[in-house]
């Protein structure tokens, strides 16, 4: 191993060499140059100093570049509904600081969705705070987005069905005292759209799985109390009678509603056993809102980079 040659003395203003006047000065110059060169070297396999920055979730944009999340709630005359949705969105903001989160209602409450969209510019992601597909997701929200040509907005999927939704439903049942129910009625708002029945039935299966196979019967608050034609979703009272015929006389009622309202109160009043509260600001629901937002961003990104335009945002 040979010794390194000391660096030449620094040049003076005229280009002539200025001799070092001491050994200490020579060592100082060597240390300075070595530090500068090492600063440009990246050692493979060694971690950088300082805490590692958390990696964003797949498809998640950083807060600085992320488009606003427009949460679309149904709206209700019940004054608790707006407070509940506001608390949910506060939890969403806490989970992703810096993300712009706005609220728009389909009806009954301010701000209405068109008013919220009018205050935005550029890209945005609309996330329905609805728990299944139906007319609002398939028609009303897309129509509002189409009427806002100043935005490049995409529409996320509704919150259900999803395992996070089943997690929140399960937690609300436990809070109501239904830790080991013999059977459950999953009470949802309902829709004439067949996709709504498909989604609600899937959520019922996910909840049944979380409960270890307990029977979970999906039902609609909006269905005729005596039930409709064969093959149509049951009403909540009809579902309760069907379970009673199987020997389940005190089934629990799971409230598949984002916030309090007429339907949620009506279903809870019909329950012969424990009745869960609406999902509200449950942490799993807040995570699900961000998950749908990230899914929509990822799908839009795939569409933007696919020259065939084959990728679309599923709604």
């Amino acid at each position: 191993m040979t010794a390194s040659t000391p660096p030449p003395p620094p040049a003076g203003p005229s280009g002539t060499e200025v001799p070092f006047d001491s050994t200490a000065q020579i060592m100082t110059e060597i240390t300075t140059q070595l530090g500068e060169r090492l600063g440009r070297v990246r050692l493979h396999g060694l971690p950088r100093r300082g805490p590692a920055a958390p990696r964003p979730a797949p498809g998640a944009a950083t807060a600085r570049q992320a488009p606003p999340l427009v949460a679309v709630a149904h709206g209700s005359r019940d004054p608790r509904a707006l407070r509940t949705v506001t608390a949910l969105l506060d939890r969403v903001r806490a989970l992703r600081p810096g993300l712009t989160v706005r609220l728009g209602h389909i009806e009954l409450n301010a701000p209405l969705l068109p008013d919220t969209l009018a205050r935005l510019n550029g890209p945005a992601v609309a996330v329905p705070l609805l728990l299944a597909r139906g007319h609002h997701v398939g028609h009303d929200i897309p129509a509002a987005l189409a009427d806002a040509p100043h935005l490049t907005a995409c529409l996320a999927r509704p919150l259900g069905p999803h395992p996070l939704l089943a997690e929140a439903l399960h937690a609300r049942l436990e809070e109501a005292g239904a830790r080991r129910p013999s059977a459950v009625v999953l009470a949802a708002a309902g829709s004439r759209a067949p996709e709504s029945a498909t989604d609600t039935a899937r959520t019922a299966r996910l909840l049944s799985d979380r409960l270890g196979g307990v029977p979970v019967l999906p039902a609609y608050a909006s269905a005729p109390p005596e039930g409709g034609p064969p093959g149509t979703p049951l009403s909540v009272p009809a579902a309760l009678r069907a379970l009673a015929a199987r020997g389940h006389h005190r089934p629990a009622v799971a409230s598949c509603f984002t916030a309090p309202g007429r339907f949620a109160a009506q279903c809870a009043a019909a329950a012969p056993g424990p009745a869960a509260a609406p999902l509200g600001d449950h942490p799993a629901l807040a995570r699900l809102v961000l998950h749908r937002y990230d899914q929509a961003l990822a799908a839009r990104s795939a569409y933007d980079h696919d020259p065939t335009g084959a990728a679309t945002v599923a709604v």
Side-chain angles (χ1 to χ4, degrees), residues 3 7 10 35 49 55 102 104 110 153 155 182 184 187 192 210 218 226 255 258 265 278 290:
R49 292 183 179 181
R55 294 184 179 181
R102 297 286 184 263
L155 178 58
S182 64
V184 174
R192 294 187 183 91
R210 283 194 66 91
E226 299 305 317
S255 186
T258 306
L290 286 171

Side-chain angles (χ1 to χ4, degrees), residues 53-69 93 95-101 123 125 290 293-294 297-298 300-301:
R55 294 184 179 181
T62 61
R64 184 174 297 177
Q65 68 186 26
L69 185 162
R93 294 183 185 99
L95 288 173
R96 192 164 298 177
L99 176 64
T100 298
V101 179
V125 178
L290 286 171
Y293 171 85
D294 291 338
L297 276 185
R300 187 181 71 173
S301 177

Side-chain angles (χ1 to χ4, degrees), residues 37 45 103 110 141 179 186 216 272 287:
R37 294 180 184 183
L103 172 62
I141 302 176
R179 294 188 176 274
L186 179 67
V216 177
R287 289 174 10 233

Side-chain angles (χ1 to χ4, degrees), residues 226-234:
E226 299 305 317
T232 60
L234 296 173

